[in-house]
Short mmCIF file of all heavy atoms in Angstrom, two decimals:
data_model
loop_
_atom_site.label_atom_id
_atom_site.label_comp_id
_atom_site.label_asym_id
_atom_site.label_seq_id
_atom_site.Cartn_x
_atom_site.Cartn_y
_atom_site.Cartn_z
N ALA U 88 -3.10 11.63 0.77
CA ALA U 88 -1.76 11.52 1.35
C ALA U 88 -1.40 10.07 1.68
O ALA U 88 -0.41 9.83 2.36
CB ALA U 88 -1.68 12.37 2.62
N ARG U 89 -2.16 9.13 1.19
CA ARG U 89 -1.96 7.72 1.56
C ARG U 89 -0.53 7.26 1.25
O ARG U 89 0.08 7.74 0.32
CB ARG U 89 -3.00 6.83 0.90
CG ARG U 89 -2.89 6.69 -0.59
CD ARG U 89 -4.17 6.10 -1.17
NE ARG U 89 -4.08 5.84 -2.59
CZ ARG U 89 -4.17 6.76 -3.54
NH1 ARG U 89 -4.35 8.03 -3.23
NH2 ARG U 89 -4.08 6.41 -4.82
N PRO U 90 -0.05 6.30 2.03
CA PRO U 90 1.32 5.81 1.83
C PRO U 90 1.52 5.17 0.46
O PRO U 90 0.57 4.70 -0.17
CB PRO U 90 1.48 4.76 2.93
CG PRO U 90 0.49 5.15 3.97
CD PRO U 90 -0.67 5.72 3.21
N ARG U 91 2.77 5.11 0.05
CA ARG U 91 3.14 4.54 -1.25
C ARG U 91 2.65 3.11 -1.37
O ARG U 91 2.20 2.68 -2.44
CB ARG U 91 4.65 4.65 -1.42
CG ARG U 91 5.36 3.40 -1.81
CD ARG U 91 6.86 3.49 -1.67
NE ARG U 91 7.34 3.28 -0.33
CZ ARG U 91 7.37 2.08 0.28
NH1 ARG U 91 6.96 1.02 -0.35
NH2 ARG U 91 7.82 1.97 1.49
N GLN U 92 2.71 2.35 -0.30
CA GLN U 92 2.24 0.97 -0.32
C GLN U 92 0.77 0.91 -0.75
O GLN U 92 0.38 0.03 -1.51
CB GLN U 92 2.41 0.36 1.08
CG GLN U 92 2.06 -1.10 1.17
CD GLN U 92 2.38 -1.65 2.55
OE1 GLN U 92 3.34 -1.23 3.19
NE2 GLN U 92 1.59 -2.60 3.00
N CYS U 93 -0.03 1.85 -0.31
CA CYS U 93 -1.45 1.90 -0.66
C CYS U 93 -1.64 2.43 -2.09
O CYS U 93 -2.48 1.92 -2.83
CB CYS U 93 -2.20 2.79 0.31
SG CYS U 93 -1.95 2.34 2.05
N ARG U 94 -0.86 3.43 -2.45
CA ARG U 94 -0.99 4.05 -3.78
C ARG U 94 -0.62 3.10 -4.91
O ARG U 94 -1.11 3.26 -6.03
CB ARG U 94 -0.10 5.30 -3.88
CG ARG U 94 -0.60 6.47 -3.08
CD ARG U 94 0.27 7.72 -3.28
NE ARG U 94 1.52 7.59 -2.54
CZ ARG U 94 2.73 7.69 -3.08
NH1 ARG U 94 2.88 7.93 -4.35
NH2 ARG U 94 3.79 7.55 -2.33
N THR U 95 0.22 2.13 -4.64
CA THR U 95 0.72 1.27 -5.71
C THR U 95 0.05 -0.10 -5.77
O THR U 95 0.33 -0.88 -6.68
CB THR U 95 2.24 1.09 -5.60
OG1 THR U 95 2.54 0.50 -4.34
CG2 THR U 95 2.97 2.41 -5.75
N TYR U 96 -0.82 -0.41 -4.83
CA TYR U 96 -1.51 -1.70 -4.86
C TYR U 96 -2.41 -1.79 -6.08
O TYR U 96 -3.05 -0.82 -6.43
CB TYR U 96 -2.34 -1.90 -3.58
CG TYR U 96 -3.05 -3.24 -3.57
CD1 TYR U 96 -2.37 -4.38 -3.18
CD2 TYR U 96 -4.36 -3.36 -4.00
CE1 TYR U 96 -3.00 -5.62 -3.21
CE2 TYR U 96 -5.00 -4.59 -4.03
CZ TYR U 96 -4.32 -5.70 -3.63
OH TYR U 96 -4.93 -6.93 -3.68
N PRO U 97 -2.47 -2.92 -6.77
CA PRO U 97 -1.88 -4.23 -6.51
C PRO U 97 -0.54 -4.45 -7.22
O PRO U 97 -0.07 -5.58 -7.31
CB PRO U 97 -2.93 -5.19 -7.07
CG PRO U 97 -3.43 -4.47 -8.28
CD PRO U 97 -3.44 -3.01 -7.88
N PHE U 98 0.06 -3.38 -7.68
CA PHE U 98 1.29 -3.50 -8.47
C PHE U 98 2.52 -3.51 -7.56
O PHE U 98 3.38 -2.64 -7.62
CB PHE U 98 1.35 -2.40 -9.53
CG PHE U 98 0.16 -2.44 -10.45
CD1 PHE U 98 -0.84 -1.49 -10.35
CD2 PHE U 98 0.02 -3.45 -11.39
CE1 PHE U 98 -1.95 -1.55 -11.18
CE2 PHE U 98 -1.08 -3.51 -12.23
CZ PHE U 98 -2.08 -2.56 -12.11
N TRP U 99 2.55 -4.51 -6.69
CA TRP U 99 3.67 -4.74 -5.78
C TRP U 99 4.56 -5.82 -6.37
O TRP U 99 4.09 -6.72 -7.07
CB TRP U 99 3.18 -5.20 -4.42
CG TRP U 99 2.36 -4.20 -3.66
CD1 TRP U 99 2.21 -2.86 -3.92
CD2 TRP U 99 1.57 -4.47 -2.51
NE1 TRP U 99 1.38 -2.29 -3.00
CE2 TRP U 99 0.97 -3.25 -2.12
CE3 TRP U 99 1.31 -5.62 -1.78
CZ2 TRP U 99 0.13 -3.15 -1.01
CZ3 TRP U 99 0.48 -5.52 -0.68
CH2 TRP U 99 -0.10 -4.30 -0.30
N ARG U 100 5.84 -5.78 -6.05
CA ARG U 100 6.79 -6.75 -6.60
C ARG U 100 6.35 -8.20 -6.35
O ARG U 100 6.41 -9.03 -7.24
CB ARG U 100 8.19 -6.52 -6.05
CG ARG U 100 8.78 -5.22 -6.58
CD ARG U 100 10.29 -5.20 -6.47
NE ARG U 100 10.80 -3.93 -6.94
CZ ARG U 100 10.96 -3.60 -8.21
NH1 ARG U 100 10.65 -4.46 -9.14
NH2 ARG U 100 11.42 -2.41 -8.55
N ASN U 101 5.92 -8.51 -5.13
CA ASN U 101 5.54 -9.90 -4.84
C ASN U 101 4.30 -10.33 -5.62
O ASN U 101 4.16 -11.50 -5.96
CB ASN U 101 5.34 -10.12 -3.34
CG ASN U 101 4.18 -9.32 -2.78
OD1 ASN U 101 4.02 -8.14 -3.08
ND2 ASN U 101 3.38 -9.95 -1.95
N VAL U 102 3.42 -9.41 -5.95
CA VAL U 102 2.23 -9.72 -6.74
C VAL U 102 2.59 -9.83 -8.22
O VAL U 102 2.02 -10.63 -8.96
CB VAL U 102 1.13 -8.65 -6.52
CG1 VAL U 102 -0.06 -8.89 -7.43
CG2 VAL U 102 0.70 -8.61 -5.06
N MET U 103 3.57 -9.04 -8.65
CA MET U 103 3.94 -8.97 -10.06
C MET U 103 5.05 -9.96 -10.46
O MET U 103 5.50 -9.96 -11.59
CB MET U 103 4.39 -7.55 -10.42
CG MET U 103 3.33 -6.49 -10.16
SD MET U 103 1.75 -6.83 -10.95
CE MET U 103 2.23 -6.83 -12.65
N GLU U 104 5.46 -10.82 -9.54
CA GLU U 104 6.53 -11.78 -9.83
C GLU U 104 6.18 -12.70 -10.99
O GLU U 104 7.04 -13.06 -11.77
CB GLU U 104 6.82 -12.63 -8.60
CG GLU U 104 7.65 -11.93 -7.56
CD GLU U 104 7.90 -12.81 -6.33
OE1 GLU U 104 7.41 -13.96 -6.28
OE2 GLU U 104 8.57 -12.32 -5.43
N SER U 105 4.92 -13.09 -11.08
CA SER U 105 4.53 -14.06 -12.11
C SER U 105 3.03 -13.97 -12.38
O SER U 105 2.29 -13.38 -11.59
CB SER U 105 4.86 -15.49 -11.64
OG SER U 105 4.05 -15.83 -10.52
N LYS U 106 2.63 -14.58 -13.46
CA LYS U 106 1.20 -14.66 -13.79
C LYS U 106 0.46 -15.38 -12.66
O LYS U 106 -0.66 -15.00 -12.30
CB LYS U 106 1.03 -15.41 -15.12
CG LYS U 106 -0.39 -15.66 -15.52
CD LYS U 106 -0.99 -14.46 -16.17
CE LYS U 106 -2.33 -14.81 -16.82
NZ LYS U 106 -3.23 -13.69 -16.82
N GLU U 107 1.09 -16.39 -12.08
CA GLU U 107 0.47 -17.16 -11.00
C GLU U 107 0.25 -16.29 -9.76
O GLU U 107 -0.81 -16.36 -9.13
CB GLU U 107 1.34 -18.37 -10.64
CG GLU U 107 1.41 -19.42 -11.72
CD GLU U 107 2.32 -19.05 -12.90
OE1 GLU U 107 3.25 -18.22 -12.75
OE2 GLU U 107 2.07 -19.60 -14.00
N SER U 108 1.25 -15.47 -9.40
CA SER U 108 1.08 -14.62 -8.22
C SER U 108 0.01 -13.55 -8.46
O SER U 108 -0.74 -13.20 -7.55
CB SER U 108 2.41 -13.99 -7.79
OG SER U 108 2.99 -13.24 -8.83
N TRP U 109 -0.09 -13.04 -9.71
CA TRP U 109 -1.14 -12.09 -10.08
C TRP U 109 -2.52 -12.75 -9.95
O TRP U 109 -3.44 -12.19 -9.38
CB TRP U 109 -0.90 -11.56 -11.49
CG TRP U 109 -1.95 -10.62 -11.98
CD1 TRP U 109 -2.94 -10.89 -12.88
CD2 TRP U 109 -2.11 -9.24 -11.63
NE1 TRP U 109 -3.71 -9.77 -13.10
CE2 TRP U 109 -3.22 -8.74 -12.35
CE3 TRP U 109 -1.42 -8.38 -10.78
CZ2 TRP U 109 -3.66 -7.43 -12.25
CZ3 TRP U 109 -1.86 -7.06 -10.67
CH2 TRP U 109 -2.96 -6.60 -11.39
N GLU U 110 -2.63 -13.96 -10.46
CA GLU U 110 -3.90 -14.69 -10.41
C GLU U 110 -4.27 -15.04 -8.97
O GLU U 110 -5.45 -15.02 -8.60
CB GLU U 110 -3.84 -15.96 -11.27
CG GLU U 110 -3.78 -15.67 -12.76
CD GLU U 110 -5.01 -14.94 -13.30
OE1 GLU U 110 -6.13 -15.19 -12.82
OE2 GLU U 110 -4.83 -14.11 -14.21
N GLN U 111 -3.28 -15.34 -8.15
CA GLN U 111 -3.55 -15.63 -6.74
C GLN U 111 -4.09 -14.38 -6.04
O GLN U 111 -5.05 -14.47 -5.26
CB GLN U 111 -2.28 -16.12 -6.05
CG GLN U 111 -2.51 -16.52 -4.61
CD GLN U 111 -1.27 -17.08 -3.95
OE1 GLN U 111 -0.24 -17.29 -4.60
NE2 GLN U 111 -1.34 -17.32 -2.67
N GLU U 112 -3.51 -13.22 -6.32
CA GLU U 112 -3.99 -11.97 -5.71
C GLU U 112 -5.41 -11.66 -6.18
O GLU U 112 -6.22 -11.12 -5.43
CB GLU U 112 -3.04 -10.82 -6.05
CG GLU U 112 -3.27 -9.57 -5.24
CD GLU U 112 -2.91 -9.69 -3.77
OE1 GLU U 112 -2.20 -10.64 -3.38
OE2 GLU U 112 -3.34 -8.83 -2.99
N LYS U 113 -5.70 -12.03 -7.40
CA LYS U 113 -7.03 -11.80 -7.98
C LYS U 113 -8.12 -12.51 -7.17
O LYS U 113 -9.26 -12.03 -7.11
CB LYS U 113 -7.04 -12.30 -9.43
CG LYS U 113 -8.30 -12.02 -10.19
CD LYS U 113 -8.15 -12.50 -11.62
CE LYS U 113 -9.36 -12.15 -12.45
NZ LYS U 113 -9.15 -12.57 -13.85
N GLN U 114 -7.77 -13.61 -6.52
CA GLN U 114 -8.74 -14.33 -5.69
C GLN U 114 -9.22 -13.48 -4.52
O GLN U 114 -10.35 -13.62 -4.07
CB GLN U 114 -8.14 -15.64 -5.18
CG GLN U 114 -7.69 -16.59 -6.27
CD GLN U 114 -8.80 -16.94 -7.24
OE1 GLN U 114 -9.89 -17.34 -6.84
NE2 GLN U 114 -8.54 -16.75 -8.52
N ALA U 115 -8.36 -12.60 -4.03
CA ALA U 115 -8.70 -11.76 -2.89
C ALA U 115 -9.19 -10.37 -3.31
O ALA U 115 -9.92 -9.72 -2.56
CB ALA U 115 -7.50 -11.61 -1.97
N CYS U 116 -8.80 -9.92 -4.49
CA CYS U 116 -9.08 -8.54 -4.92
C CYS U 116 -10.04 -8.55 -6.12
O CYS U 116 -9.63 -8.89 -7.23
CB CYS U 116 -7.79 -7.82 -5.29
SG CYS U 116 -8.06 -6.17 -5.95
N PRO U 117 -11.29 -8.13 -5.93
CA PRO U 117 -12.25 -8.13 -7.03
C PRO U 117 -11.96 -7.09 -8.11
O PRO U 117 -12.53 -7.15 -9.19
CB PRO U 117 -13.58 -7.85 -6.34
CG PRO U 117 -13.23 -7.13 -5.09
CD PRO U 117 -11.88 -7.67 -4.67
N GLY U 118 -11.06 -6.16 -7.84
CA GLY U 118 -10.73 -5.14 -8.83
C GLY U 118 -9.74 -5.60 -9.88
O GLY U 118 -9.63 -5.00 -10.96
N ILE U 119 -9.01 -6.68 -9.59
CA ILE U 119 -8.05 -7.21 -10.55
C ILE U 119 -8.82 -7.91 -11.67
O ILE U 119 -9.68 -8.75 -11.41
CB ILE U 119 -7.06 -8.18 -9.88
CG1 ILE U 119 -6.15 -7.40 -8.92
CG2 ILE U 119 -6.23 -8.93 -10.91
CD1 ILE U 119 -5.17 -8.24 -8.14
N GLY U 120 -8.53 -7.49 -12.89
CA GLY U 120 -9.20 -8.07 -14.05
C GLY U 120 -10.38 -7.25 -14.53
O GLY U 120 -11.07 -7.62 -15.47
N SER U 121 -10.61 -6.10 -13.89
CA SER U 121 -11.69 -5.22 -14.35
C SER U 121 -11.18 -3.79 -14.39
O SER U 121 -10.13 -3.47 -13.85
CB SER U 121 -12.89 -5.32 -13.40
OG SER U 121 -12.56 -4.83 -12.12
N GLY U 122 -11.92 -2.95 -15.07
CA GLY U 122 -11.54 -1.54 -15.15
C GLY U 122 -10.55 -1.27 -16.26
O GLY U 122 -10.43 -2.03 -17.22
N ARG U 123 -9.82 -0.19 -16.10
CA ARG U 123 -8.92 0.24 -17.15
C ARG U 123 -7.69 -0.65 -17.26
O ARG U 123 -7.32 -1.34 -16.30
CB ARG U 123 -8.52 1.69 -16.97
CG ARG U 123 -7.41 1.96 -15.98
CD ARG U 123 -7.02 3.45 -16.09
NE ARG U 123 -5.88 3.81 -15.30
CZ ARG U 123 -4.62 3.79 -15.74
NH1 ARG U 123 -4.33 3.37 -16.94
NH2 ARG U 123 -3.64 4.19 -14.97
N VAL U 124 -7.07 -0.63 -18.40
CA VAL U 124 -5.85 -1.40 -18.63
C VAL U 124 -4.64 -0.51 -18.29
O VAL U 124 -4.50 0.58 -18.83
CB VAL U 124 -5.75 -1.90 -20.09
CG1 VAL U 124 -4.41 -2.58 -20.33
CG2 VAL U 124 -6.91 -2.83 -20.40
N TYR U 125 -3.80 -0.99 -17.39
CA TYR U 125 -2.53 -0.34 -17.09
C TYR U 125 -1.51 -0.92 -18.06
O TYR U 125 -1.35 -2.14 -18.15
CB TYR U 125 -2.09 -0.63 -15.65
CG TYR U 125 -2.83 0.16 -14.61
CD1 TYR U 125 -4.13 -0.18 -14.24
CD2 TYR U 125 -2.24 1.25 -13.98
CE1 TYR U 125 -4.82 0.55 -13.28
CE2 TYR U 125 -2.92 1.99 -13.02
CZ TYR U 125 -4.21 1.63 -12.68
OH TYR U 125 -4.89 2.35 -11.73
N SER U 126 -0.81 -0.05 -18.75
CA SER U 126 0.21 -0.49 -19.71
C SER U 126 1.42 -1.05 -18.97
O SER U 126 1.61 -0.79 -17.77
CB SER U 126 0.64 0.67 -20.60
OG SER U 126 1.40 1.60 -19.85
N LYS U 127 2.25 -1.79 -19.67
CA LYS U 127 3.49 -2.30 -19.09
C LYS U 127 4.33 -1.16 -18.55
O LYS U 127 4.90 -1.26 -17.45
CB LYS U 127 4.28 -3.09 -20.13
CG LYS U 127 5.60 -3.64 -19.57
CD LYS U 127 6.41 -4.36 -20.62
CE LYS U 127 7.67 -4.98 -20.06
NZ LYS U 127 8.52 -4.13 -19.26
N GLU U 128 4.38 -0.05 -19.29
CA GLU U 128 5.17 1.11 -18.85
C GLU U 128 4.62 1.70 -17.54
O GLU U 128 5.39 2.06 -16.64
CB GLU U 128 5.19 2.18 -19.94
CG GLU U 128 5.95 1.77 -21.20
CD GLU U 128 5.22 0.75 -22.08
OE1 GLU U 128 3.97 0.69 -22.02
OE2 GLU U 128 5.90 0.00 -22.80
N GLU U 129 3.30 1.77 -17.42
CA GLU U 129 2.70 2.28 -16.18
C GLU U 129 2.98 1.34 -15.01
O GLU U 129 3.30 1.80 -13.91
CB GLU U 129 1.18 2.43 -16.34
CG GLU U 129 0.76 3.58 -17.23
CD GLU U 129 -0.74 3.60 -17.44
OE1 GLU U 129 -1.29 2.62 -18.00
OE2 GLU U 129 -1.36 4.59 -17.03
N ILE U 130 2.86 0.06 -15.25
CA ILE U 130 3.12 -0.93 -14.21
C ILE U 130 4.59 -0.86 -13.78
O ILE U 130 4.89 -0.83 -12.58
CB ILE U 130 2.74 -2.34 -14.67
CG1 ILE U 130 1.22 -2.43 -14.89
CG2 ILE U 130 3.22 -3.40 -13.67
CD1 ILE U 130 0.76 -3.66 -15.64
N ASP U 131 5.49 -0.81 -14.74
CA ASP U 131 6.92 -0.69 -14.41
C ASP U 131 7.20 0.57 -13.60
O ASP U 131 7.99 0.55 -12.65
CB ASP U 131 7.77 -0.71 -15.68
CG ASP U 131 7.83 -2.09 -16.32
OD1 ASP U 131 7.49 -3.09 -15.66
OD2 ASP U 131 8.22 -2.16 -17.51
N ALA U 132 6.54 1.67 -13.95
CA ALA U 132 6.73 2.92 -13.20
C ALA U 132 6.22 2.76 -11.77
O ALA U 132 6.86 3.25 -10.83
CB ALA U 132 6.01 4.07 -13.91
N LEU U 133 5.08 2.09 -11.58
CA LEU U 133 4.57 1.87 -10.22
C LEU U 133 5.50 0.97 -9.42
O LEU U 133 5.71 1.18 -8.23
CB LEU U 133 3.16 1.26 -10.29
CG LEU U 133 2.07 2.23 -10.71
CD1 LEU U 133 0.79 1.49 -11.07
CD2 LEU U 133 1.81 3.27 -9.63
N LEU U 134 6.07 -0.01 -10.07
CA LEU U 134 7.04 -0.88 -9.39
C LEU U 134 8.28 -0.10 -8.96
O LEU U 134 8.87 -0.37 -7.92
CB LEU U 134 7.43 -2.05 -10.28
CG LEU U 134 6.34 -3.10 -10.50
CD1 LEU U 134 6.73 -4.06 -11.62
CD2 LEU U 134 6.05 -3.86 -9.22
N CYS U 135 8.65 0.89 -9.76
CA CYS U 135 9.83 1.71 -9.45
C CYS U 135 9.59 2.71 -8.33
O CYS U 135 10.53 3.22 -7.74
CB CYS U 135 10.31 2.44 -10.70
SG CYS U 135 11.13 1.34 -11.87
N VAL U 136 8.32 3.00 -8.03
CA VAL U 136 8.00 3.95 -6.95
C VAL U 136 8.61 3.47 -5.65
O VAL U 136 9.02 4.26 -4.81
CB VAL U 136 6.46 4.12 -6.81
CG1 VAL U 136 6.10 4.81 -5.51
CG2 VAL U 136 5.91 4.90 -8.00
N HIS U 137 8.71 2.16 -5.48
CA HIS U 137 9.25 1.60 -4.24
C HIS U 137 10.75 1.84 -4.12
O HIS U 137 11.26 1.90 -3.00
CB HIS U 137 8.96 0.11 -4.16
CG HIS U 137 7.50 -0.19 -4.02
ND1 HIS U 137 6.86 -0.15 -2.82
CD2 HIS U 137 6.55 -0.49 -4.94
CE1 HIS U 137 5.59 -0.43 -2.99
NE2 HIS U 137 5.37 -0.64 -4.27
N ALA U 138 11.44 1.96 -5.23
CA ALA U 138 12.89 2.14 -5.19
C ALA U 138 13.24 3.47 -4.52
O ALA U 138 12.66 4.51 -4.83
CB ALA U 138 13.46 2.11 -6.60
N GLY U 139 14.13 3.44 -3.58
CA GLY U 139 14.57 4.65 -2.91
C GLY U 139 13.62 5.14 -1.84
O GLY U 139 13.82 6.18 -1.25
N GLN U 140 12.55 4.39 -1.58
CA GLN U 140 11.61 4.76 -0.53
C GLN U 140 11.48 3.63 0.46
O GLN U 140 10.41 3.09 0.70
CB GLN U 140 10.25 5.11 -1.12
CG GLN U 140 10.26 6.41 -1.87
CD GLN U 140 8.85 6.95 -2.04
OE1 GLN U 140 7.98 6.76 -1.20
NE2 GLN U 140 8.63 7.64 -3.11
N ASP U 141 12.61 3.22 1.01
CA ASP U 141 12.63 2.14 1.95
C ASP U 141 11.84 2.52 3.20
O ASP U 141 11.77 3.69 3.57
CB ASP U 141 14.06 1.79 2.33
CG ASP U 141 14.84 1.25 1.14
OD1 ASP U 141 14.22 0.56 0.31
OD2 ASP U 141 16.04 1.54 1.05
#
Side-chain angles (χ1 to χ4, degrees):
R89 69 195 185 282
R91 129 193 81 74
Q92 184 175 327
C93 306
R94 288 184 285 124
T95 59
Y96 181 82
F98 302 106
W99 295 347
R100 291 201 182 280
N101 65 315
V102 175
M103 301 306 298
E104 282 179 359
S105 66
K106 175 82 169 150
E107 293 76 24
S108 58
W109 178 256
E110 291 298 325
Q111 184 177 353
E112 192 69 15
K113 186 177 184 177
Q114 301 304 308
C116 176
I119 292 177
S121 65
R123 82 172 186 91
V124 175
Y125 284 76
S126 70
K127 180 183 184 310
E128 293 74 25
E129 288 175 299
I130 294 167
D131 287 344
L133 287 166
L134 290 169
C135 286
V136 166
H137 293 277
Q140 289 199 32
D141 295 325

